[in-house]
Amino acid sequence: MAFTSYTYQVFLSFRGEDTRKNFTDHLYSTLSKAGIVTFRDDNSIQRGENIELEIEKAIQESQMSVVVLSKDYASSTWCLDELVMIMDRKRTAGHIVLPVFYDVDPSQVGEQTGNYAEAFAKHQDHFQDDMERVEKWKATLKEVAYLGGMVLQDRHESQFIGDIVEEVGKRLDSTVLLAPYIAWHRYRLLVKKTKMIVYILYIICISIFVGLFLYKFICTWIFLQSEFDRHLKGDQYDRVIWKIGNGPNRAGTEQDFVRELLRSTGTKKNIDMGIKIMCSLVLAFCLS
């Protein structure tokens, strides 16, 4: 039984110099007030050799990513590498990606025109020995531009942010609906505990039926042994065999004798019923 859970519901990707202290900050606050647990790089992670691993881990532990594509997003190689990780996660693990075009047109992002063209002109000069990396950035931007996201256009930012949060709620699973009433980490813990209790109950039920089956089997075996011992005394064996075999032919009459004992006690029927119940429980457990 698999327990699928996420540390974060949303991973927020943005160009800090463009939107950190205004649009992205308001978006983060609104997401948090809606009960949606969001990860953002707020400089709590120090730039260093492990930063890429930390960001990649945060993306893997997030159910979806919201990518705020601003005018100077492409000028940051860090943002571009982050976007590559997000899209790789989308292709390999079904990660949900919501592009947000903040004061930029999706075609400008996809075709790398305007500010994006200027940014890539600098990247091509700086990464002449690693043009494969630059081409991967271009392809990733084109891919994310045509996913179908949210465009600011002429809306007020407050209305735009509200629409984004509503769209995030739709794309996330139904557990978001409980977020305003139950803290997310507590809800995740509650779900995991509930699933564990169900799992334990399944194990207990199966163990009980296995125990009952073994108990019935052992009792049946002891009963048969005692019946054999009782009927095999003196000449009773011959009379029992004659009665069951309906004649002097004793071939196979021992099996008939056992079958007759099982039929008379109803034990075989009980064992068959127990096996069917056990198989049903195991099948239901595997399908759950």
Side-chain angles (χ1 to χ4, degrees), residues 141-203:
L141 280 172
K142 189 170 185 177
E143 183 180 359
V144 76
Y146 294 103
L147 283 179
M150 311 284 292
V151 185
L152 175 60
Q153 294 179 334
D154 297 328
R155 282 178 288 182
H156 294 291
E157 284 193 8
S158 58
Q159 180 186 355
F160 186 44
I161 288 173
D163 293 340
I164 293 170
V165 174
E166 183 179 355
E167 183 64 23
V168 168
K170 290 179 181 178
R171 299 201 182 193
L172 289 173
D173 57 32
S174 59
T175 57
V176 173
L177 299 176
L178 290 175
Y181 308 101
I182 303 176
W184 175 244
H185 68 281
R186 291 182 180 177
Y187 178 78
R188 287 175 55 245
L189 183 61
L190 177 63
V191 171
K192 292 180 71 173
K193 285 185 175 180
T194 303
K195 290 182 177 179
M196 182 61 71
I197 291 172
V198 173
Y199 178 83
I200 293 173
L201 288 176
Y202 267 119
I203 297 298

Side-chain angles (χ1 to χ4, degrees), residues 204-216 274 278 282:
I204 291 174
C205 289
I206 291 175
S207 300
I208 290 173
F209 276 98
V210 170
L212 290 174
F213 173 77
L214 292 176
Y215 171 77
K216 201 70 175 180
M278 286 177 56
V282 173

Side-chain angles (χ1 to χ4, degrees), residues 55-168:
I55 292 296
E56 186 175 9
K57 179 183 177 182
I59 293 171
Q60 292 175 351
E61 294 179 351
S62 300
Q63 191 171 352
M64 72 175 294
S65 289
V66 175
V67 183
V68 181
L69 296 157
S70 54
K71 285 184 176 180
D72 291 329
Y73 186 91
S75 64
S76 169
T77 58
W78 177 258
C79 287
L80 293 173
D81 285 337
E82 189 174 272
L83 184 61
V84 169
M85 286 189 281
I86 290 172
M87 296 306 291
D88 284 344
R89 181 69 177 169
K90 178 183 182 298
R91 285 187 291 269
T92 58
H95 187 72
I96 306 169
V97 179
L98 176 63
V100 173
F101 301 93
Y102 178 73
D103 205 18
V104 67
D105 191 84
S107 61
Q108 183 179 344
V109 176
E111 302 301 327
Q112 288 96 53
T113 60
N115 287 27
Y116 280 69
E118 296 175 8
F120 272 98
K122 294 179 181 178
H123 292 328
Q124 288 173 347
D125 290 339
H126 187 72
F127 295 97
Q128 293 182 0
D129 298 332
D130 194 6
M131 289 303 296
E132 183 178 351
R133 185 180 179 187
V134 176
E135 292 302 320
K136 189 171 185 178
W137 287 340
K138 287 184 176 182
T140 303
L141 280 172
K142 189 170 185 177
E143 183 180 359
V144 76
Y146 294 103
L147 283 179
M150 311 284 292
V151 185
L152 175 60
Q153 294 179 334
D154 297 328
R155 282 178 288 182
H156 294 291
E157 284 193 8
S158 58
Q159 180 186 355
F160 186 44
I161 288 173
D163 293 340
I164 293 170
V165 174
E166 183 179 355
E167 183 64 23
V168 168

